[in-house]
Amino acid sequence: MISDDLSPDVLERLERAEQLKLDGSHEEAIEILEELVLEDPENVSALEEIADNKLSLGEYNQAEAAARHATDLDDQSYTAYYILGFLRSRTEDWDEAIAHLRRANLLKPNNAEILRCLGWALFNGAERPQGVVTLERALNLDAESTLTLCDLGVAYLQMQNFQKARILFQRVLELEPKNLRAKECMHLLERVTTMARGEGVEK
């Protein structure tokens, strides 16, 4: 979330860091961003981007520290709340994940990625119906998101709606034929439906 009151020089450097991130050059992006934070410790945009790059590198503690610093400075930072929610989902702290992601969704409604993560957290945090509805909303906003398709497929698989799960996993494999998660889920689905047929309860 880039602030409107940054100087042209700072904006140019943030854009350069963004391009480096998109190119996968996370360390180089972080160098630029850390320079910006040294010059202005309250540069929330740079802190958000540091958190995002650290997340991509798997440096989760540093990602969380940067995101928390961003929310301390600006409680409207939906990017930082999203990152905190994502991190809590990784550790299966579902209540805390849901709280952060609901805040992110309130600040940035109709964002497919925020809704995907919120839906997954809700589904795993004992709010299954709301989780499925939220994942469906995310998919409506981005119909070709293989992450959302997989998450929703797993949700339907766990709810034993095998037909819907199969359709979703097949769609992932149409978009990404080498998607390992979808392949593994399809194998699991075949095993489960074979067992269900034996018991006469296939859905």
Side-chain angles (χ1 to χ4, degrees):
M1 184 172 65
I2 295 178
S3 173
D4 294 330
D5 57 2
L6 297 173
S7 71
D9 172 65
V10 171
L11 286 170
E12 190 273 330
R13 288 152 75 191
L14 281 169
E15 287 169 8
R16 192 159 75 248
E18 175 71 13
Q19 189 57 55
L20 286 166
K21 180 181 76 173
L22 293 173
D23 292 341
S25 302
H26 299 290
E27 290 91 349
E28 292 178 53
I30 289 168
E31 284 181 21
I32 293 171
L33 296 162
E34 287 180 340
E35 284 176 8
L36 288 168
V37 172
L38 281 173
E39 293 167 15
D40 176 10
E42 296 189 0
N43 188 327
V44 173
S45 299
L47 286 165
E48 291 171 342
E49 285 298 305
I50 288 171
D52 199 16
N53 279 281
K54 292 290 186 182
L55 197 64
S56 296
L57 290 170
E59 297 175 2
Y60 301 124
N61 290 338
Q62 293 177 31
E64 180 166 354
R68 288 197 180 279
H69 191 184
T71 58
D72 288 343
L73 292 169
D74 180 6
D75 66 358
Q76 303 296 302
S77 174
Y78 67 85
T79 300
Y81 282 111
Y82 158 75
I83 289 170
L84 291 171
F86 180 89
L87 288 167
R88 292 289 72 78
S89 289
R90 282 193 72 259
T91 53
E92 300 186 1
D93 297 322
W94 301 118
D95 289 345
E96 196 175 339
I98 289 165
H100 288 310
L101 291 163
R102 278 187 165 144
R103 176 69 176 159
N105 183 54
L106 184 68
L107 294 167
K108 184 72 171 177
N110 299 318
N111 178 283
E113 177 58 14
I114 291 173
L115 284 169
R116 178 186 77 82
C117 289
L118 176 58
W120 184 246
L122 287 165
F123 183 83
N124 286 284
E127 296 185 48
R128 282 192 163 192
Q130 188 61 38
V132 170
V133 168
T134 306
L135 284 167
E136 291 279 12
R137 280 182 59 207
L139 191 60
N140 284 336
L141 290 166
D142 185 359
E144 295 193 352
S145 167
T146 54
L147 291 172
T148 305
L149 287 162
C150 272
D151 284 353
L152 193 54
V154 170
Y156 280 124
L157 180 57
Q158 290 187 28
M159 294 168 68
Q160 297 188 8
N161 191 330
F162 302 136
Q163 185 177 2
K164 280 195 173 181
R166 179 178 283 107
I167 290 168
L168 291 161
F169 295 137
Q170 285 173 340
R171 179 60 180 146
V172 175
L173 292 171
E174 287 172 11
L175 294 167
E176 293 180 6
K178 295 182 180 179
N179 188 296
L180 186 59
R181 186 184 180 201
K183 284 184 176 182
E184 289 173 349
C185 287
M186 281 294 280
H187 288 315
L188 176 60
L189 180 60
E190 295 308 323
R191 287 202 301 273
V192 170
T193 52
T194 298
M195 290 171 60
R197 276 196 296 272
E199 298 171 5
V201 295
E202 184 178 7
K203 296 182 182 179

